[in-house]
Amino acid sequence: MKKIMLLQKWAKSILVMLIGVIPIIVLSGCSTASQLNSIDADSSGIFNHFFIYPFSILIKFFANAFHGNYGLSIVLMTFIIRLAIMPLMMNQTKKQMDMKEKMAVLQPELTALKEKYKNDVSADAKKQQQAEMVQLYQKHQFNPLNMGCLPMLLQWPITLAFYYAIRRTSEIAAHDFLWFSLGKTDMILPFIAAAVYYVQFRVSQSVSVQYQQNQNNQMAFIGLLSPIMMGVFSFGMPAALPLYWAVGGIFIIVQTIILNKMYMKPKVAIKNLPTGADDL
């Protein structure tokens, strides 16, 4: 059981890292010409016309509303996008909490099953043990390989489109925000973005890992690789992009904490009630 859950968390964490980092690698490898072509109504391609261009229009709209402040526009757009994706994340978090609850009920039976066959190492015994384990999964309607990664995959085209909108809205490069120019690289923002990504990873693991003690060493590599890559690539990007990544990461950190508290508190309260109190 622990090996299955370890495999599950490895796969999910790797997917999270790939979703966050692969677009950066792919986009950083694009030709300079394709990156700098401004997006407009005449840009060809379905992705350009229906995804990138509308985001670019919204960036300009909010910037004009903020008297030409494109930095605030990017921050606001990031929050709007994350709020739009939140229902998917709420559904995913609820499923994760339900799975953890089922695991808590299932674990004693799995332990008893392991004890039953611990002294029998024959092939037939292992086969029978696996069959009984499958029966337990079916009994509790538990699928240990159900990682619930669909919401993360669905948000990928949205985040890529917003990336391109920032990169290809030429007006952004001519404006400043806080201490940096949005169109030039900055030496501080990459460290901020990397730190936010690391905190985001740690928060997601601290609230979701069922067997944290057995995974600390294995997960350390993944926890460091994503923010390091984020920081390295941010040094070669206009400051508008690490600004977007940092703001988005902060939102995800807060969202993860809030959603897990939302779905965990009622369950804890039920467990602390006296026997029979739930029948009142």
Side-chain angles (χ1 to χ4, degrees):
M1 179 63 179
K2 290 185 179 181
K3 290 182 179 179
I4 294 175
M5 292 308 303
L6 177 60
L7 176 63
Q8 178 192 13
K9 295 309 299 181
W10 261 96
K12 188 170 184 178
S13 297
I14 290 173
L15 181 58
V16 172
M17 180 190 71
L18 293 180
I19 289 175
V21 176
I22 278 186
I24 306 170
I25 300 174
V26 173
L27 294 171
S28 66
C30 296
S31 64
T32 303
S34 64
Q35 284 184 338
L36 297 180
N37 285 339
S38 296
I39 188 73
D40 54 43
D42 297 325
S43 297
S44 60
I46 294 176
F47 195 67
N48 282 331
H49 189 74
F50 291 101
F51 287 89
I52 300 175
Y53 182 61
F55 277 135
S56 179
I57 292 295
L58 287 173
I59 290 173
K60 295 177 184 177
F61 172 79
F62 287 117
N64 291 331
F66 292 131
H67 307 288
N69 193 325
Y70 277 84
L72 280 180
S73 177
I74 291 173
V75 171
L76 179 60
M77 281 291 297
T78 303
F79 274 94
I80 291 175
I81 290 171
R82 288 298 170 183
L83 285 172
I85 296 173
M86 183 177 283
L88 293 174
M89 306 311 297
M90 292 177 68
N91 183 54
Q92 181 188 26
T93 303
K94 187 177 184 300
K95 288 182 177 179
Q96 289 176 344
M97 294 299 103
D98 291 342
M99 175 175 275
K100 289 179 68 176
E101 190 176 65
K102 290 180 180 180
M103 285 174 54
V105 176
L106 183 60
Q107 188 60 47
E109 296 184 56
L110 289 173
T111 301
L113 182 62
K114 184 178 179 180
E115 287 293 320
K116 177 181 176 181
Y117 290 97
K118 70 176 182 178
N119 296 323
D120 193 344
V121 295
S122 65
D124 290 339
K126 289 185 179 296
K127 185 177 180 180
Q128 182 62 28
Q129 181 179 359
Q130 290 176 353
E132 292 184 28
M133 185 179 297
V134 171
Q135 291 177 358
L136 285 177
Y137 290 160
Q138 293 175 346
K139 171 186 173 183
H140 293 277
Q141 298 180 340
F142 178 78
N143 182 5
L145 298 180
N146 183 16
M147 295 181 290
C149 295
L150 182 60
M152 288 182 285
L153 293 175
L154 290 176
Q155 67 178 288
W156 200 344
I158 298 175
T159 54
L160 282 179
F162 191 49
Y163 169 95
Y164 273 117
I166 295 173
R167 197 74 177 93
R168 297 174 62 183
T169 302
S170 57
E171 291 86 348
I172 293 176
H175 290 79
D176 297 336
F177 181 64
L178 299 178
W179 69 88
F180 51 88
S181 171
L182 293 171
K184 299 179 181 178
T185 58
D186 182 72
M187 295 295 104
I188 299 176
L189 271 180
F191 291 105
I192 296 176
V196 168
Y197 257 59
Y198 179 74
V199 173
Q200 176 186 330
F201 176 86
R202 296 295 299 174
V203 169
S204 65
Q205 292 304 304
S206 66
V207 297
S208 64
V209 172
Q210 177 72 12
Y211 299 105
Q212 184 91 20
Q213 295 178 350
N214 297 326
Q215 300 189 57
N216 284 340
N217 294 333
Q218 295 94 328
M219 302 301 292
F221 174 73
I222 297 177
L224 290 174
L225 181 60
S226 178
I228 288 175
M229 295 182 69
M230 172 63 71
V232 170
F233 284 107
S234 292
F235 277 111
M237 298 286 187
L241 294 169
L243 170 66
Y244 157 52
W245 291 323
V247 172
I250 293 172
F251 184 95
I252 293 175
I253 291 170
V254 176
Q255 171 187 270
T256 302
I257 295 172
I258 292 176
L259 291 185
N260 277 274
K261 286 185 176 181
M262 278 176 55
Y263 291 112
M264 288 181 68
K265 279 187 175 181
K267 294 178 175 60
V268 173
I270 291 173
K271 290 181 179 180
N272 291 334
L273 286 174
T275 302
D278 52 348
D279 295 329
L280 295 177

